[in-house]
Structures are given as C-alpha cells and as structure tokens.
Amino acid sequence: MAGIPTRSLTAGTIDPADRIAELERENAKLQRINKVLMDRVERSMDFQGGAFSLFQTAIVLEQKIRERTLELERALHKLEDSNRDLARAKELADTMRTRLFEAIESVNEGFALFDSADRLVLCNRKYLSYWPSVAGRIQAGIRFNDLVAMVAAAGAVSEPPPDVWLRERMEHRHDLKGVFLNRLSDGRWIQVNERRTRDGGIVGVYTDITVIKREEERRRESEQAEKSALMMLNDQLQQAKSQADQANLSKTRFIAAASHDLLQPLNAARLFVSALADLEQPAGNAELVDNIDLALASVEDLLSALLDISKLDAGAVTPELTDFPLRGILAPLATEYAAVAAERGIDLKVVGSGAVVRSDMRLLRRIVQNFLSNALRYVQGGRVVVGCRRTGDGIRIEVWDNGPGIPRDKIAEIFQEFRRLDTPVTKGRDRGMGLGLAIVDRVARMLDHPITVRSEPGRGSVFAVTVPRGTERRAVRPASIAARPMTNRLAGTSVLVLDNEPAVVAGMEALLRGWACDVVSATNGDEALAMLSGMPQPPDLLIADYHLDDGALGVNEVARLRAACGRILPAVIVTANRTPELADEAKAAGCLVLNKPVKPAQLRAVMSGLVG
C-alpha cells in the first residue's frame, strides 16, 4: 500500500486559533484519506472477493488509523503545552513591563529612553515635570532634536540664551562626555547624565541639583563675606602694624635722644671723676672718687643695655652676615678680660680656634662677651674657660665656669629683663642689672643661632651658642693691643675741643689738663674757627661732639677746621649714637669714633696713638 502523506504539527505557533483551524483541516484531510482507502479496499474485495483478503485489509487499515490518531493526539497535546507556555510568557512580560514602568515612575530622577533612531521610547512623569510648558506635546516616537528645539522655543531654559543652549545641548548629545547642566526658567538646576545602550539607543537620567547649587551659592557668598572680612581685618592689622612700627620707631628715637641727653651729663661726670682721680687725694676722698666712678660705670652699662634692647625690639639692628674666623672674636676678648679676671683672682683660659663661621661678627661678639662677663661676675676665685666644638654643620662656642650654678627651674628666667639670681658675688657692683642675657636672647633669635645652657647648682654652668660654619675666609684686623698710659707722651699736646655742652667742655678740659695737655675749647664751629685763627699754630688734635647746636654735625665742622688749617688734623668724634651708619660716616671723613660716656683710659690710648 502506498504511504500516506502526513504533515507534522509544530508547537510554538503564535495564534492558538490559527493553530486549531490548521489541525481541523488536517483532521478533515485524514478522514478523506481514510474514506478513499476504505473505498479502495472495498473495490479490491469486489475484484478479489476473498474473505481472507478482506480481513487482512481491515487489520492494516485499523493499524494505520490508530497510528494517525495517536499522532494527532500528541500534536494536540503539544499545541496545548505551547499555548500554556505562551500565555505564561505573555503574562510575565506584562508583569515585568508593569513593574518597569512602576520602577521608573518611583525614582526621584527624571528618566528618558530613546531608540537607535533617537526617538523617544518611554519617559517618566518626573522627566515631563522639568518641561511643564511642553509636557503635553512630548509623546513616544518624538525625535530628540525636535524635543529640545521645542523646549528652547518655549523658553523653558533661562541660561544660556535658547540658541546657544540648543547648540551646546546637541553638541553634548553627539559626544556624551561628562554631564550637562540645565538652568530652567523657574530657577531649578538639572544635571543630565546620558549613556548609550547596546542597541544604539540613549538612556538619560535627569537629576534635580537645585539644593546643591543653592548651597554652593550660599557657600560662595559666605566665603566672599569671610574674604571681605579677612581683607578688612588684614587692613586693620596692617594699619595696627604700621602704627606699632611707627610707635617702635618713635620709641627708638625717643630712647636714642633720651640716651644722648642722659649720656651728656654722664659723660661730663665721668670726665670730672677721672680728672679728680688723677689728682692727689686724701685716702678717704680717693675711696669716694672710686665709688663715684663705679656708680657712674653702672649707670653707663644700664643705659647702654637699654639702648641696645630698644634697638633690637624696634628692628633697628640689621645683621650683616659674613664669613670670618673665630679668632677675630676670641683673641680680643681674651685680651680685654685678662685684667678683669686677674683682678678677681679667676683663672681665665680662652682656647683659640681657626674655625670659620658665618654670622654678624659684631653681634656674635656681643653674645660671647655677655656670656664671658656673666661668668666672671659670678665666679669667685674659680676658673672660666672659653672654647669651641664642631657639631654637625655648625660650631658651638662654649663658656664654662665653676661658679654657683643655676637651678633647673630658673634657667628660662635668667633670659628675662631685670631677672637676677640671688647668688652671692664678690662685690655689689658685680651684681649687674639683669639685661645682659636678655640682649643675648634677642640677638640670638635675630641671627637664628641656638642658645643652650647646662648647669648644676654648686658645680658651675656652661653657656653656649651654635653658629653655622662659613665657607670663605676674609681678613680680620688683628686685635688692638691696649695702649699703656704714657702721660709724658701727651704732655704739651695741643687739643681743640668742640662741644655744645658746657659741662662736657669743662670736664674734658679738666681731664686733658690733668694729662698736661694745652686745651682750647669752643661750643660751635664758628667759635672754633675764631679760636683757630688766634692760635700760633694748628692744634695737634681735634675732639668734637657729633651732634652740635642748630643741626650742625661734628664731622662737617672738623672738615671746616681742617680746611682752615690747610692740612688733615687728627680728629676724634665723640657721640652717644652707636649706629653703624655713623661709624661709616666718621670713617669716611677720616675720624675715629668714641662712644659716650668716654672712658678716660680709652681716650688716652686713642690720643697717644694719634699724636705719637
């Protein structure tokens, strides 16, 4: 028997009704096939007429019909399963779509999805709320360029201008780099973050950052206000600093002027006392003269220290850093203090050093000098050693003594003004005024030279200053050797004294005449010129005060007197002004400088050197 064509039923047809109709057509076709087969068998039976053939044919037909029926039943079952799966998938898709819409609507940010052709697929109400004037015209399928053109035309964005905003928005849409900020016409700020999807579409998240922007604006306003306040405060501080600087300058000028006025009578007193000391006195009077000299020396030291402190506090002292060997400081100090140490029975040893340091030579000498004088003041018949040690990149200058020592809790106190330890000393004059270490502290801080103190009560102290090493050597003038008094050498020396203070003139005359000098005095330059014209020959030496009446200066009057004599007369300028500028001016004029109050021994040594 020829095979029966069959058509397999496949599951997964999208429309169940179409699938059922197709199965019904297949069933009808099978029935027609069965009928044809039955007719053929019957005709065959008619032709053959055999009973066995009919029976055999009936069995075959029954088997075929049963197979076809089972196939049809299996196809129907598959169709039912497919329809069930399809229904479940559709239900799940509807559920997921619903949930997606609910999720998009629930977020705080605006959301918009565009397809690969840049047509709007979906958006949430938050997105539409940003464009209230055109929200009703934003529908699925609208192109992005049409949407933003509509927003710009409606004036929904306040800045920049609509045409500029539209161009910048499309440029950002093309690049999708970074974020894009929109300032809406209602004052809100919207930040746009966009990313491209796998299928070429664009998803955008629109975040309202108005609160952040307002906070930034408030912060900027606050910072601006603080900046303005700081600038105002800074102006006030600058003004206060200027006033303080002016006050310091005025204080320095006042102290300098007051010191000059105080030093003038003090200078005269020292001259008178020195003149008295040169005369023969009864034993009682000689002791009184010595006590007066000691008292005047104490006043001189106090005024000198106060003047130095005022200059340091006012910033009137400017360090001149140079490289020089330490022997230029240590050798003169050894010579200067040898007699003092011997008088007090102190074994003084200054260990020489060839080390080169970088500092201000004059100020560093003041530090070491104060350390040394302090040690000699408090040591009673003991020993004082001055030496140097190399430490890293510096040189530490140390002054050792075996004096009474300093308690640990008093070390910081000794660097304050007018602070002195209650330590017994040899004489009342040696107690000092408590200003030497205060000056050391100020000078060391100005030079940035660390000061260290080690002390043990009953065993002594070590004061040290650390100075940076220098790299260059410069010539240092050898220490001047103290000139021995040679009264006979000054005998007959002709001296012209020029000073506007009569007391100083009288004191200087008494002192010089005690040394057997011929003295001529004047209170101003014109009077000195008149005196000079009446002298048989020019004087051997000029001694002039720096500050004279009516603003006249001693160096200028010395120049006039030299011009009148026709030659350079040796001259000494006496002044209370200790500034380096004055010293340079006097040096340029070819004059030596002595600071008030004049020490008679120093004056005698200078005069002997000039007329020798």
Side-chain angles (χ1 to χ4, degrees):
M1 177 180 295
I4 300 175
T6 62
R7 178 183 298 175
S8 62
L9 299 177
T10 59
T13 305
I14 296 176
D15 193 348
D18 294 341
R19 185 64 175 168
I20 293 172
E22 183 179 356
L23 291 174
E24 290 177 350
R25 286 194 298 272
E26 290 289 340
N27 188 31
K29 188 181 295 183
L30 289 175
Q31 289 179 356
R32 287 196 300 272
I33 291 172
N34 287 339
K35 187 175 182 303
V36 171
L37 290 174
M38 292 292 294
D39 291 342
R40 183 178 298 176
V41 170
E42 290 176 354
R43 284 195 300 271
S44 175
M45 289 174 60
D46 291 342
F47 289 128
Q48 296 177 1
F52 180 77
S53 296
L54 290 174
F55 178 74
Q56 187 178 15
T57 300
I59 292 172
V60 171
L61 288 174
E62 183 183 7
Q63 183 68 27
K64 294 294 184 181
I65 291 171
R66 186 178 292 112
E67 291 176 357
R68 293 293 183 179
T69 302
L70 291 174
E71 290 178 0
L72 180 59
E73 290 177 354
R74 284 195 295 270
L76 289 174
H77 288 312
K78 290 180 179 179
L79 179 60
E80 291 175 358
D81 294 340
S82 297
N83 287 336
R84 261 193 319 272
D85 293 341
L86 181 61
R88 282 196 299 269
K90 184 178 181 182
E91 182 181 358
L92 180 60
D94 292 340
T95 302
M96 296 301 296
R97 187 177 182 87
T98 302
R99 291 179 179 176
L100 176 61
F101 275 109
E102 291 176 353
I104 292 174
E105 288 294 339
S106 66
V107 297
N108 293 327
E109 290 82 8
F111 178 87
L113 175 64
F114 292 81
D115 60 16
S116 58
D118 219 7
R119 292 188 298 264
L120 179 63
V121 176
L122 60 90
C123 64
N124 60 1
R125 282 192 293 269
K126 188 69 173 180
Y127 173 79
L128 297 176
S129 69
Y130 296 143
W131 328 109
S133 58
V134 296
R137 298 160 57 188
I138 299 177
Q139 302 292 334
I142 186 173
R143 291 187 176 275
F144 178 79
N145 55 351
D146 296 333
L147 191 153
V148 293
M150 186 168 56
V151 169
V157 180
S158 63
E159 60 180 48
D163 55 338
V164 177
W165 176 84
L166 181 60
R167 183 180 68 254
E168 292 178 353
R169 184 68 181 94
M170 292 305 299
E171 290 175 353
H172 180 268
R173 184 74 169 187
H174 177 72
D175 296 333
L176 294 182
K177 293 181 179 179
V179 298
F180 189 84
L181 297 181
N182 298 302
R183 185 170 188 179
L184 306 186
S185 57
D186 58 5
R188 289 181 294 173
W189 282 89
I190 307 302
Q191 176 179 288
V192 182
N193 290 274
E194 294 176 316
R195 295 292 183 272
R196 197 168 295 278
T197 61
R198 291 184 179 181
D199 59 357
I202 295 177
V203 59
V205 176
Y206 296 70
T207 306
D208 189 338
I209 59 170
T210 306
V211 175
I212 298 176
K213 280 292 185 179
R214 288 176 180 171
E215 185 63 29
E216 288 180 355
E217 185 175 355
R218 282 195 295 269
R219 186 166 60 250
R220 283 196 300 269
E221 292 175 355
S222 176
E223 290 175 353
Q224 186 65 30
E226 291 178 359
K227 184 177 180 181
S228 300
L230 287 174
M231 291 179 64
M232 184 179 300
L233 180 60
N234 186 55
D235 292 340
Q236 294 175 353
L237 290 175
Q238 290 290 343
Q239 185 177 1
K241 183 178 182 298
S242 177
Q243 294 174 352
D245 292 341
Q246 186 64 34
N248 280 333
L249 182 59
S250 299
K251 181 188 72 172
T252 302
R253 290 174 178 171
F254 170 77
I255 292 178
S259 299
H260 181 270
D261 293 341
L262 290 172
L263 288 173
Q264 285 289 80
L266 180 61
N267 184 46
R270 291 295 300 274
L271 294 175
F272 281 123
V273 169
S274 297
L276 283 174
D278 290 338
L279 301 176
E280 292 186 4
Q281 300 284 347
N285 289 351
E287 184 177 355
L288 289 175
V289 171
D290 289 340
N291 289 335
I292 294 172
D293 186 55
L294 293 178
L296 292 175
S298 297
V299 174
E300 176 188 348
D301 291 341
L302 177 60
L303 288 177
S304 178
L306 287 174
L307 184 59
D308 288 342
I309 287 180
S310 68
K311 288 180 179 180
L312 291 171
D313 288 343
V317 179
T318 303
E320 298 179 4
L321 301 181
T322 57
D323 295 327
F324 58 89
L326 280 176
R327 67 170 66 94
I329 290 178
L330 301 181
L333 288 177
T335 303
E336 180 179 346
Y337 284 93
V340 177
E343 178 185 353
R344 300 182 183 181
I346 298 173
D347 180 14
L348 173 62
K349 182 179 182 181
V350 179
V351 181
S353 174
V356 177
V357 296
R358 182 166 184 80
S359 180
D360 184 299
M361 189 174 185
R362 179 174 55 88
L363 295 177
L364 181 60
R365 184 187 189 279
R366 187 65 181 271
I367 293 175
V368 181
Q369 178 183 3
N370 283 1
F371 283 165
L372 183 54
S373 62
N374 224 43
L376 294 175
R377 178 177 294 118
Y378 287 99
V379 173
Q380 300 184 37
R383 188 181 186 192
V384 175
V385 178
V386 181
C388 303
R389 295 178 186 273
R390 297 181 182 270
T391 58
D393 295 333
I395 302 294
R396 188 168 65 236
I397 307 171
E398 299 178 338
V399 178
W400 295 66
D401 69 70
N402 59 353
I406 307 168
R408 184 180 298 273
D409 59 342
K410 300 291 184 181
I411 289 180
E413 184 178 330
I414 63 176
F415 288 95
Q416 300 175 12
E417 295 88 346
F418 301 105
R419 294 298 181 92
R420 298 169 300 184
L421 298 180
D422 296 329
T423 303
V425 291
T426 56
K427 296 180 182 180
R429 67 169 289 184
D430 293 328
R431 186 170 175 79
M433 296 297 169
L435 292 175
L437 292 180
I439 294 175
V440 166
D441 181 62
R442 285 167 168 79
V443 173
R445 282 191 279 111
M446 181 175 62
L447 295 175
D448 195 21
H449 294 351
I451 297 293
T452 56
V453 180
R454 304 194 309 274
S455 184
E456 185 176 343
R459 301 192 63 180
S461 306
V462 180
F463 286 79
V465 56
T466 303
V467 189
R469 293 185 188 177
T471 56
E472 299 178 3
R473 294 177 179 267
R474 74 175 178 89
V476 178
R477 290 179 298 178
S480 58
I481 302 174
R484 288 175 291 181
M486 291 184 290
T487 306
N488 294 336
R489 192 171 184 180
L490 293 178
T493 300
S494 175
V495 182
L496 174 58
V497 178
L498 176 58
D499 198 303
N500 60 327
E501 291 288 340
V504 175
V505 171
M508 186 67 74
E509 288 180 346
L511 179 66
L512 296 179
R513 284 170 182 158
W515 297 342
C517 296
D518 296 330
V519 184
V520 177
S521 301
T523 57
N524 57 63
D526 294 337
E527 185 179 345
L529 286 173
M531 291 286 184
L532 188 63
S533 62
M535 297 176 67
Q537 61 182 14
D540 299 318
L541 181 67
L542 300 176
I543 299 177
D545 189 11
Y546 182 78
H547 290 286
L548 302 172
D549 290 338
D550 301 324
L553 299 179
V555 289
N556 296 334
E557 299 305 324
V558 167
R560 291 176 61 192
L561 294 172
R562 286 172 171 174
C565 294
R567 62 187 179 91
I568 303 298
L569 298 175
V572 177
I573 299 296
V574 180
T575 179
N577 191 332
R578 301 167 185 260
T579 61
E581 292 79 9
L582 186 145
D584 294 339
E585 181 184 0
K587 182 179 179 181
C591 302
L592 293 180
V593 176
L594 289 179
N595 291 318
K596 293 181 180 180
V598 175
K599 294 179 175 61
Q602 187 180 19
L603 176 61
R604 177 184 287 177
V606 170
M607 291 177 61
S608 298
L610 291 175
V611 300

